[in-house]
Amino acid sequence: MASDVDTAPLVGRTELLQTVRSALLGDAAHGQTAAVFLTGESGVGKTRLLGEVGDRLRAQGAVVLTGSCLDIGDASPLHPLLQALRRFDADLSTSHARTSSAVRGLLQMFADETAGPDGAGALLERVSRGLHLIAEGRPLVLILDDLQWVDRSTRQLLLYLLAGLGDLQLSVLAAVRAESLQGVHPLRRVLTELRRLRTVRVLDLAPLGRADTEKLAAAVVGRTLSAEAAEQVWQRSGGNPFVIEELARDLRDGRDGLSETLREIFLDRVDALPQHAHAVVHAVAAGVEPVQHWLLAEVLRLPEEELIDAARAAVAHRLLVGADDGYRLRHRLVAEVLAHELLPAERSGLHRRYAEALTAAPGELHQARLAHHWRLAGEPARALPAAVAAAQEAERLHGYAEAHRHWSAALQLAADQGPLAVDRVELLENAAEAAHHCGEHARALALLEEVAALPGGGAPSALHIRRARYLAAAGRSALAEEEYQRALTAADCSPRDRATAAARLAELLLHLGRYADAGQRAREALALAADVEGSATEVVLASSALGFSDAYLEDPDAGLAVMRDALDTAERAGQPEDVACAYLHLAELLTGPLNILEEGVVVARRGAERVAELGLGRTWETRLLAVAINGLFRVGQWAEAEKVVATALRHRPSGADAVELLLARCRLSVGYGDIDAGSRDLDAVATLLAGGGARHVIPLLTLRAGLAMWEGRHDVARLAVQRGLTESRSDDVTILSALIWHGLRAEAEAHTSRTMAVDPTVVRRLRDMADRVARKSVGAARPVRSVVAGFLALCAAEVSRLDSSDPDLWAASVAEWDRRHHPYPAAYSRLRQAEALLARRSRLATAGKLLREAYRVAQGLGAVPLTSEIRELAGRARVSLEEREPLGGTRGAPAEASDDELAALTAREREVLALVAEGLTNKEIGQRLFISERTIGVHVSHIFDKLQVRTRVQASAIQLRNLRG
């Protein structure tokens, strides 16, 4: 049933309406995301504004999906999206069969969803793909009301889509009740992270001012208010539009002498309803909105005609809103006012009738609602199985936060009753595991203690292992280590538990940087696992620790051999995740400690193909491709790395997988000088890391410093490096040495450009850290020492720039990086060596040669900022960067020149040029190659420079001439 038209005008929101509309569609480029979150107190007009904006966006041709979050906690994963899809499908006409089919296909996907190895990320990817089909190329707007009640799965979906990982032009408009975001409300952290995204805005919807309050009240009353009446409305309402309208209607209808409290206003209006309408409002207030018409009929047991008349009266009195999917209170404040107006027996009777109606209804039961109503009906024995079923349903959709809430409700129901036929130990174990998966580590530990205190609470060794897992996830590593030790010495520890404890302890020690201890425990675990059937997981974990331990402790060949054995073991066992884990650690070992980059890239790509065959493309394949991208970046194959990025992005990764990929792509953006793309990726990483991701802190801050330096913001770079040195406890000497180099480079750049004063304390701290890294690297494997030595050479050379740049130190850096076949830092070092020589006016011919070599490498990579610096220095020193060919030649010379010009382009630049010649715009080329429009602009600029042309027409002519030749 549709509600009647709201005749109250929208007052004081014209400018805000335009701002929201522009932010959602006008300012969001094609293929990007945008979001506006409206916050404000109850009754301030958030829902009304959502409706107005939705209507205007529909008129502009956007696909608008509208849903509301439930107020019974994390009731059902992705509930508002499911509700929005059902509403949208109901509104579609027969002429939109294709869209309707896409909507129903997505709804069916939810119904068929089962837990799988790819986890919740796979579900998010399928949701994104389904929304893309529904949009059919049109802008898609998702409008969510009452976001303060949003379930965790929907929060994850928003983070996923707004991080730019969904292949569609998405806009999100959501309303949040401000007073609900107090304390540790999970949405506060999400909004804090989302504020960092450039296309996300959080707008506070303030109450109306005095003039607008009077204007709105006068519009409702139908005449100008007296000064006394206007003052009374202003004082009572505080500018809240909902209360203004209610008070103004009282004035219009001649209801005098009402109490000044909002509660009394609502009660008076409810009491004025006809008897059956009164019952309808109370029933809807007790239900979970929206309350469907058939459900309301079952609860109230009124004849159809009387029910319709009663609902119509409630809608006419502005207490209910009717829509196709059911009834809602016009404002939730009504429910708060009515909560204490029914006798306990009346309330429990209403909830009982709701539960009985839902139980008797054909089709799928909404277990969360059923549990809610049976609980409030005072029937815990009937609420318990519904709560358990709701938890299992949530786990099926990977909604571990919702599952944890429902398991907790089941525990409470079991505790409040006498002896129920339920295994409390099983309930506690399920609740603890769900809490662990959703990041509620303290809760998981508390529940585990309850398990331990109960008779039959499990074997002590198994409890120790589980407690250690939870402690390690909570960051309490010392206690976790003690628990693993207790498990290993427990009298009841079975061979399998002993192998598991040893393997996980080895992994923990590895993360703590205690490589010798990790290797020792890993060897014990491997020996124990050899006698346990089906222990591939333990073998892979232990081999990972042992391989890295040996690689760091002077025996890289032994570490590599262990990792290869682990892969063989995983393949024989046939467990997909074990195979994927083995490939990942082998690739990381080759591209990390061993610095065998080319082989590491091959292993990573081969592993990616293998795990895709095993059905783990979204998660493990993405991680392996990220390893490959980093290896390709280091060896200077940037164009190939871009292609791998495009391949990985097709999986629409989420969580840690997306973080790895975005950081890898950002390294390319820093090299290319694509500041906007790099910043977007780092913002997305910060969003995805809300509440976790400590091991990514140093790479994130190193890249942040690199971007800031290309922008000339050396103060920002300094802060990023200092934060990395302060906040991280990482013992990885390789990434620490890279961070220290960025810090010293920022100080040197600031000194050279005079953008800020050099801080001697900061420089001293960085030099001390460099000395500490040098000492720590002495005990590392030769390949590790080799990479660290390269970064320390850069650090020493950067320090010399603070006084008088030493060309010999830069020459040493060139030699270090040439020996490792890392072209980018080698080219950078050549630039600085030439700069130092030119400053001393010595060996000018050598300086010119160095600049030409650096220029050739930088151009080949597509490193625009580095190329520009080289060009600028060469211009000041009047050094020619090009080796000019002698004039003359045959008639075939133009074609040969064309060949030479195209030969200077990278593989990616050739692809871009071919599409430019087809007449495609930068945006169209980006969509074709899965690259941002800004990155395409960088490539086009670089192509123009290499071909020495100024227009796309000239560049296209060279491309076409080359094809003819």
Side-chain angles (χ1 to χ4, degrees):
M1 296 179 60
S3 63
D4 62 343
V5 178
D6 194 336
T7 57
L10 190 66
V11 174
R13 307 301 193 197
T14 303
E15 184 176 347
L16 183 62
L17 265 176
Q18 179 59 31
T19 299
V20 172
R21 189 206 63 77
S22 177
L24 293 177
L25 290 186
D27 296 340
H30 184 73
Q32 295 185 2
T33 61
V36 174
F37 294 87
L38 295 174
T39 65
E41 66 182 29
S42 300
V44 79
K46 301 182 295 296
T47 301
R48 175 71 185 281
L49 197 64
L50 295 187
E52 292 282 346
V53 173
D55 290 341
R56 298 189 183 197
L57 295 179
R58 285 189 191 93
Q60 291 183 257
V63 175
V64 179
L65 303 178
T66 304
S68 301
C69 303
L70 294 178
D71 63 340
I72 58 172
D74 284 339
S76 176
L78 300 174
H79 165 78
L81 178 60
L82 286 165
Q83 181 191 67
L85 291 169
R86 291 182 182 121
R87 288 182 186 173
F88 184 67
D89 186 45
D91 291 337
L92 289 173
S93 64
T94 56
S95 61
H96 295 82
R98 182 175 175 181
T99 303
S100 181
S101 175
V103 173
R104 293 174 185 176
L106 186 53
L107 288 170
Q108 186 61 43
M109 183 274 293
F110 283 111
D112 297 340
E113 179 66 13
T114 57
D118 271 353
L123 177 63
L124 298 182
E125 189 274 336
R126 289 193 288 275
V127 171
S128 175
R129 194 184 322 161
L131 292 176
H132 181 76
L133 292 175
I134 293 169
E136 293 184 297
R138 296 168 292 176
L140 179 67
V141 182
L142 180 59
I143 297 181
L144 302 176
D145 202 3
D146 288 325
L147 199 67
Q148 69 275 1
W149 294 319
V150 68
D151 58 276
R152 182 184 176 96
S153 295
T154 303
R155 290 199 302 270
Q156 290 176 332
L157 177 64
L158 290 177
L159 290 173
Y160 172 81
L161 294 175
L162 293 179
L165 301 176
D167 187 20
L168 70 162
Q169 182 184 355
L170 174 77
S171 298
V172 174
L173 174 61
V176 186
R177 187 181 292 188
E179 59 264 33
S180 298
L181 300 183
Q182 303 298 322
V184 292
H185 194 290
L187 194 59
R188 291 184 67 188
R189 184 177 63 192
V190 173
L191 290 178
T192 298
E193 293 298 334
L194 287 175
R195 284 177 188 267
R196 301 181 183 182
L197 297 180
R198 300 184 181 188
T199 56
V200 173
R201 303 184 67 176
V202 180
L203 303 178
D204 183 55
L205 197 57
L208 299 179
R210 173 68 178 267
D212 284 330
T213 295
E214 185 172 347
K215 182 178 179 181
L216 176 57
V220 173
V221 173
R223 54 179 169 81
T224 302
L225 272 62
S226 66
E228 181 180 356
E231 177 65 20
Q232 187 179 48
V233 171
W234 168 248
Q235 291 296 334
R236 290 184 177 182
S237 70
N240 185 295
F242 176 74
V243 181
I244 294 168
E245 292 181 28
E246 297 304 307
L247 292 171
R249 290 190 180 97
D250 288 339
L251 287 173
R252 180 192 63 194
D253 299 335
R255 287 190 289 267
D256 298 326
L258 293 176
S259 170
E260 295 183 1
T261 65
L262 185 61
R263 171 184 167 82
E264 289 173 339
I265 292 174
F266 281 123
L267 287 178
D268 183 75
R269 295 186 65 80
V270 173
D271 289 341
L273 290 170
Q275 180 182 357
H276 292 326
H278 189 281
V280 164
V281 172
H282 275 284
V284 173
V288 178
E289 296 180 346
V291 178
Q292 296 92 333
H293 184 78
W294 70 265
L295 182 57
L296 190 62
E298 292 292 327
V299 170
L300 293 178
R301 300 167 185 170
L302 289 174
E304 179 70 6
E305 188 174 340
E306 292 183 22
L307 176 60
I308 290 176
D309 288 340
R312 190 184 301 280
V315 170
H317 281 74
R318 307 286 178 163
L319 288 167
L320 288 188
V321 174
D324 290 337
D325 59 348
Y327 301 100
R328 293 174 177 78
L329 294 171
R330 188 172 180 273
H331 201 287
R332 289 304 300 173
L333 289 175
V334 177
E336 297 171 19
V337 171
L338 297 180
H340 305 291
E341 293 306 307
L342 293 177
L343 294 173
E346 291 178 296
R347 283 198 303 273
S348 64
L350 270 175
H351 288 292
R352 177 185 297 278
R353 292 198 294 276
Y354 268 116
E356 290 171 345
L358 288 170
T359 302
E364 182 182 357
L365 287 176
H366 195 305
Q367 299 292 354
R369 292 191 182 200
L370 199 59
H372 171 74
H373 287 300
W374 277 129
R375 178 176 62 84
L376 294 178
E379 294 278 1
R382 304 183 74 173
L384 180 57
V388 170
Q392 292 169 341
E393 177 188 12
E395 287 179 339
R396 183 174 62 86
L397 292 172
H398 318 291
Y400 290 108
E402 297 91 326
H404 171 228
R405 187 177 296 273
H406 292 311
W407 286 123
S408 298
L411 283 169
Q412 187 62 49
L413 289 165
D416 289 345
Q417 282 301 295
L420 289 173
V422 61
D423 185 343
R424 184 165 179 81
V425 170
E426 182 180 355
L427 286 179
L428 286 166
E429 288 178 341
N430 283 324
E433 198 66 15
H436 170 65
H437 281 303
C438 70
E440 298 288 344
H441 305 303
R443 175 65 174 160
L445 287 164
L447 291 167
L448 192 62
E449 294 312 310
E450 290 190 52
V451 172
L454 291 175
S461 62
L463 287 172
H464 286 312
I465 292 172
R466 180 178 275 194
R467 187 180 293 114
R469 285 174 52 223
Y470 295 172
L471 286 166
R476 299 161 68 180
S477 304
L479 293 176
E481 183 179 358
E482 292 177 8
E483 286 298 319
Y484 281 131
Q485 297 283 9
R486 291 191 183 102
L488 288 167
T489 57
D492 71 320
C493 190
S494 66
R496 174 172 293 282
D497 284 347
R498 187 166 280 108
T500 300
R504 291 193 176 278
L505 177 56
E507 184 185 33
L508 174 66
L509 294 171
L510 183 69
H511 287 309
L512 292 175
R514 293 162 55 185
Y515 301 121
D517 292 342
Q520 179 182 346
R521 284 296 180 187
R523 290 184 176 88
E524 293 176 12
L526 288 170
L528 291 166
D531 298 326
V532 176
E533 190 70 23
S535 59
T537 298
E538 287 76 12
V539 168
V540 171
L541 285 173
S543 298
S544 169
L546 181 59
F548 272 88
S549 173
D550 285 349
Y552 264 88
L553 299 175
E554 297 291 349
D555 199 352
D557 292 338
L560 187 58
V562 169
M563 293 301 299
R564 295 194 190 282
D565 288 344
L567 179 57
D568 291 341
T569 301
E571 288 282 14
R572 287 195 301 271
Q575 291 294 324
E577 291 202 15
D578 291 340
V579 173
C581 184
Y583 263 115
L584 178 66
H585 289 310
L586 178 58
E588 288 178 332
L589 181 66
L590 291 167
T591 58
L594 299 189
N595 195 40
I596 308 175
L597 298 176
E598 290 83 357
E599 184 181 353
V601 170
V602 171
V603 169
R605 299 181 84 164
R606 184 191 307 143
E609 294 176 1
R610 177 73 178 109
V611 299
E613 295 171 358
L614 297 173
L616 301 175
R618 178 182 173 78
T619 51
W620 293 95
E621 183 184 1
T622 299
R623 293 189 184 190
L624 283 159
L625 290 177
V627 173
I629 293 163
N630 289 328
L632 290 167
F633 175 82
R634 292 177 186 130
V635 298
Q637 296 183 34
W638 291 8
E640 184 63 23
E642 275 194 283
K643 294 180 180 178
V644 180
V645 169
T647 299
L649 281 174
R650 291 190 179 99
H651 293 300
R652 306 291 176 259
S654 63
D657 309 318
V659 168
E660 298 285 0
L661 181 59
L662 292 172
L663 287 174
R665 186 170 70 174
C666 186
R667 289 185 181 93
L668 288 168
S669 297
V670 172
Y672 286 138
D674 192 342
I675 305 300
D676 290 342
S679 296
R680 281 197 301 272
D681 281 345
L682 292 181
D683 287 343
V685 168
T687 299
L688 291 167
L689 290 180
R695 78 187 188 94
H696 298 106
V697 168
I698 290 182
L700 172 68
L701 293 172
T702 301
L703 290 168
R704 185 81 74 185
L707 279 176
M709 279 188 279
W710 285 137
E711 293 181 288
R713 301 166 63 194
H714 303 110
D715 55 335
V716 174
R718 174 192 285 172
L719 289 174
V721 172
Q722 293 303 308
R723 180 185 164 195
L725 295 176
T726 302
E727 294 190 7
S728 175
R729 299 184 179 89
S730 173
D731 288 330
D732 190 321
V733 290
T734 303
I735 62 173
L736 277 173
S737 59
L739 179 70
I740 295 166
W741 168 48
H742 277 69
L744 289 169
R745 178 184 162 197
E747 298 298 323
E749 297 282 357
H751 173 71
T752 302
S753 62
R754 295 183 174 83
T755 55
M756 67 176 185
V758 174
D759 188 334
T761 303
V762 170
V763 174
R764 184 166 55 254
R765 183 188 183 195
L766 288 168
R767 296 182 71 174
D768 289 345
M769 288 295 298
D771 292 340
R772 191 180 310 170
V773 166
R775 290 192 298 271
K776 289 177 68 173
S777 67
V778 170
R782 181 183 55 78
V784 177
R785 295 198 306 271
S786 178
V787 174
V788 171
F791 282 114
L792 293 179
L794 281 168
C795 290
E798 296 287 4
V799 170
S800 76
R801 291 177 71 194
L802 298 173
D803 183 18
S804 176
S805 190
D806 188 339
D808 292 337
L809 290 176
W810 286 112
S813 180
V814 169
E816 290 284 350
W817 291 109
D818 276 347
R819 186 160 51 247
R820 289 161 191 78
H821 307 291
H822 286 219
Y824 184 77
Y828 172 81
S829 299
R830 283 186 170 86
L831 163 64
R832 296 300 173 215
Q833 183 186 358
E835 184 180 54
L837 290 172
L838 291 170
R840 299 186 179 198
R841 300 182 182 278
S842 65
R843 297 162 58 194
L844 299 183
T846 300
K849 181 180 178 181
L850 288 167
L851 284 176
R852 282 188 287 273
E853 290 175 353
Y855 184 68
R856 176 181 55 79
V857 172
Q859 274 206 315
L861 293 173
V864 175
L866 182 59
T867 301
S868 298
E869 267 208 75
I870 296 169
R871 219 186 261 121
E872 182 181 349
L873 178 60
R876 290 200 308 268
R878 298 182 179 180
V879 172
S880 173
L881 295 174
E882 301 289 350
E883 295 292 344
R884 300 293 181 185
E885 294 291 336
L887 295 176
T890 67
R891 299 176 71 86
E896 292 174 4
S898 175
D899 288 341
D900 290 340
E901 287 170 331
L902 292 185
L905 303 182
T906 66
R908 177 62 88 185
E909 287 165 354
R910 284 172 175 265
E911 287 183 292
V912 172
L913 177 58
L915 296 174
V916 167
E918 290 182 21
L920 273 63
T921 65
N922 286 0
K923 181 183 295 184
E924 292 168 337
I925 296 172
Q927 292 168 352
R928 181 82 64 87
L929 298 180
F930 296 92
I931 308 174
S932 72
E933 182 181 355
R934 176 62 185 268
T935 300
I936 295 299
V938 172
H939 283 314
V940 171
S941 175
H942 207 183
I943 291 168
F944 284 7
D945 181 70
K946 289 183 178 182
L947 299 183
Q948 299 183 12
V949 297
R950 295 184 179 181
T951 69
R952 300 170 82 91
V953 173
Q954 292 172 329
S956 299
I958 293 177
Q959 166 72 7
L960 295 173
R961 184 175 62 195
N962 181 71
L963 291 175
R964 287 196 301 268

